[in-house]
Amino acid sequence: MIDPSAAPLPWPPGPLPTARLLLREPEARDRAGIVELFTSPEVGAYIGGARPREEFERQLPEVPRRRPGLLVVELDGAMIGVVTLDPHDSERLERRYPGGGARELGYLFLPHAWGRGYATEACTAALDWLAAARPGTPVALTTQSANTASLRLAERLGFTEVDRFEQYGARQWFGVRLSV
């Protein structure tokens, strides 16, 4: 197996098209969608609550920050969510895969985009890109145990449950997927 921490993750990956979506870096036109995403009570239900809109708008730059690991999910020219592949250094993952280099998959979608398979499509594209760019990289996913839709998505994406634990006042599910 290739040491996943041997080289920096090449970023950005360039636009990643799927059958219906485009994953890309954030742009100025995404600001309103990002505000809606992080201040939505429905979106915030399983991530510790929605951020206060006025405070979030004040803190968010006019051009949303580009950073390694963050991709906007676009449908028909409009932002509908985000997918992240952030470095993961938790003790849970380090015990299973010593040496670091793991990534954590995250995703948030606007409520009008729920239930249409967009999360599966976008996360699959991001994971496929990671598997090609960094073969052998383990990927972690954490979600609240009560978030049944997210648990179903984790299963569809090939994550295997490793642990359940209490954090942020709720029971959490932790799974791992090995890059192919």
Side-chain angles (χ1 to χ4, degrees), residues 2 17 23 30 84 117 142 164 180:
I2 294 172
L23 282 69
D30 301 318
T84 59
T142 304
R164 290 194 187 222
V180 188

Side-chain angles (χ1 to χ4, degrees), residues 80 108 117 119 124 143 152 178:
I80 62 166
L108 295 174
T124 297
T143 188
R152 285 191 306 270
L178 293 179

Side-chain angles (χ1 to χ4, degrees), residues 11-153:
W11 201 268
L16 299 175
T18 71
R20 302 177 292 172
L21 307 170
L22 181 67
L23 282 69
R24 58 172 174 74
E25 287 195 292
E27 299 173 356
R29 65 186 169 120
D30 301 318
R31 190 176 193 281
I34 290 171
V35 168
E36 184 60 33
L37 186 66
F38 285 92
T39 62
S40 164
E42 295 88 0
V43 173
Y46 295 110
I47 61 168
R51 304 269 306 269
R53 183 178 284 274
E54 282 185 24
E55 176 186 323
F56 189 76
E57 284 180 329
R58 266 194 320 275
Q59 293 174 349
L60 186 66
E62 287 302 313
V63 177
R65 186 172 69 112
R66 294 177 177 190
R67 67 168 177 79
L70 172 67
L71 293 167
V72 163
V73 180
E74 176 184 310
L75 172 69
D76 297 330
M79 185 230 127
I80 62 166
V82 296
V83 172
T84 59
L85 287 169
D86 291 325
H88 193 282
D89 60 358
S90 80
E91 289 179 28
R92 280 178 206 79
L93 202 55
E94 181 63 25
R95 281 195 304 266
R96 286 181 67 95
Y97 307 102
R103 292 281 159 169
E104 182 162 21
L105 176 69
Y107 44 86
L108 295 174
F109 285 82
L110 290 166
H112 74 269
W114 294 356
R116 295 187 167 102
Y118 298 139
T120 301
E121 190 172 328
C123 291
T124 297
L127 290 168
D128 288 350
W129 172 81
L130 180 64
R134 185 73 74 66
T137 301
V139 181
L141 186 149
T142 304
T143 188
Q144 278 192 19
S145 299
N147 189 343
T148 56
S150 191
L151 291 174
R152 285 191 306 270
L153 176 59

